[in-house]
Amino acid sequence: MRILVSNDDGYFSPGIDALARALSAFAEVSVVAPERDRSGASNSLTLDRPLSVRRAASGYRYVDGTPTDCVHVAITGLLGQRPDLVVSGINDGANMGDDTIYSGTVAAAMEGFLLGVPAIAFSLTRRGWPHLDGAAATAAGLVRRLAPRLFAQPMLLNINLPAVAAADLAGIEVTRLGKRHMAEPVVPATNPRGETVYWIGPAGQARDAGPGTDFHAVEHGRVSVTPINIDLTGTQALPAVRDWLGA
Ligand code: MN
């Protein structure tokens, strides 16, 4: 099995290294990842300049572009052969609810899926890599179990791994995305020129976090597995808009 591994934290991230090593036990792994932290890059493609690909001493390739660029370049030209699976992560921090819209981790997986390759995004719910080795082993185990299913029925899966010791995991739950409150306000600061600048503030607290959601599952120590759709059509809104326009 050939697996393309990417992420949004950069090719040097402990999370991608742990994941790539764990997957290498049973798969042929190629790592193509951003040269710097591109968290929050979402699905952006770089269209105004060419992209450079270099190889680190680790053998991992890095691109001066976004997570989406990495997977796009890898699948549409860089790799000799098409991967069977794209695996993104392990991200430094959760990607649940509305985070998935902004996430470069999910976007890297999504790009694979858009290009016809089944894909899985992995995130560790607490930042700073607590229990990373256990999380990587859990991720690799899930990839091994899910790969044959995904080859038969291609999907995009978003998986959040609770940051607990493997022995303390309370199982796996298949979830829907929860929702967050509106983001916190921007944080103003003054730059050395005396100008006001703004830091984007933190994401809002979980709002829809009840049973069945990703937030609820990881809160209770379970691995959260959410199948993701890409169809943006507001199907439930079609009748109302047709009615408004008599169309
Ligand atoms: Mn990230």
Side-chain angles (χ1 to χ4, degrees):
M1 170 179 12
R2 274 186 295 275
I3 300 181
L4 169 62
V5 174
S6 194
N7 75 347
D8 72 355
D9 296 329
Y11 72 96
F12 47 80
S13 161
I16 199 169
D17 189 49
L19 180 63
R21 284 170 188 271
L23 295 175
S24 294
F26 60 89
E28 194 183 311
V29 172
S30 303
V31 174
V32 183
E35 69 171 2
R36 61 183 176 87
D37 184 356
R38 301 304 301 268
S39 295
S42 190
N43 301 90
S44 51
L45 276 173
T46 300
L47 300 175
D48 59 347
R49 59 176 173 82
L51 296 161
S52 295
V53 182
R54 295 188 175 85
R55 195 186 280 271
S58 59
Y60 300 166
R61 277 173 281 203
Y62 59 96
V63 180
D64 59 343
T66 65
T68 300
D69 288 331
C70 293
V71 173
H72 193 93
V73 167
I75 293 181
T76 65
L78 178 66
L79 298 181
Q81 277 177 302
R82 228 177 137 71
D84 302 305
L85 191 66
V86 172
V87 179
S88 179
I90 297 172
N91 187 58
D92 185 15
N95 276 305
M96 302 189 288
D98 310 323
D99 305 342
T100 51
I101 302 283
Y102 301 98
S103 167
T105 307
V106 175
M110 194 178 288
E111 185 65 10
F113 186 66
L114 285 168
L115 295 172
V117 182
I120 308 175
F122 286 104
S123 302
L124 189 61
T125 56
R126 201 139 39 82
R127 294 179 60 94
W129 313 115
H131 305 290
L132 176 60
D133 287 342
T138 301
L142 282 166
V143 168
R144 211 168 181 171
R145 270 177 77 183
L146 289 167
R149 304 290 191 175
L150 292 174
F151 298 157
Q153 196 175 341
M155 274 184 206
L156 169 59
L157 298 177
N158 183 42
I159 300 185
N160 280 275
L161 304 160
V164 299
D168 295 331
L169 275 180
I172 299 173
E173 183 177 343
V174 178
T175 57
R176 64 183 172 82
L177 298 178
K179 294 221 181 329
R180 287 188 185 278
H181 286 282
M182 239 175 71
E184 301 292 321
V186 290
V187 181
T190 305
N191 75 8
R193 295 193 179 111
E195 299 157 340
T196 302
V197 294
Y198 299 89
W199 287 94
I200 298 289
Q205 291 299 308
R207 172 163 56 89
D208 172 11
T213 64
D214 45 5
F215 291 110
H216 190 269
V218 304
E219 182 67 29
H220 291 81
R222 295 188 285 274
V223 175
S224 166
V225 180
T226 310
I228 301 284
N229 271 332
I230 301 182
D231 183 0
L232 294 177
T233 306
T235 305
Q236 286 148 323
L238 285 173
V241 179
R242 284 197 180 109
D243 184 49
W244 296 345
L245 297 172

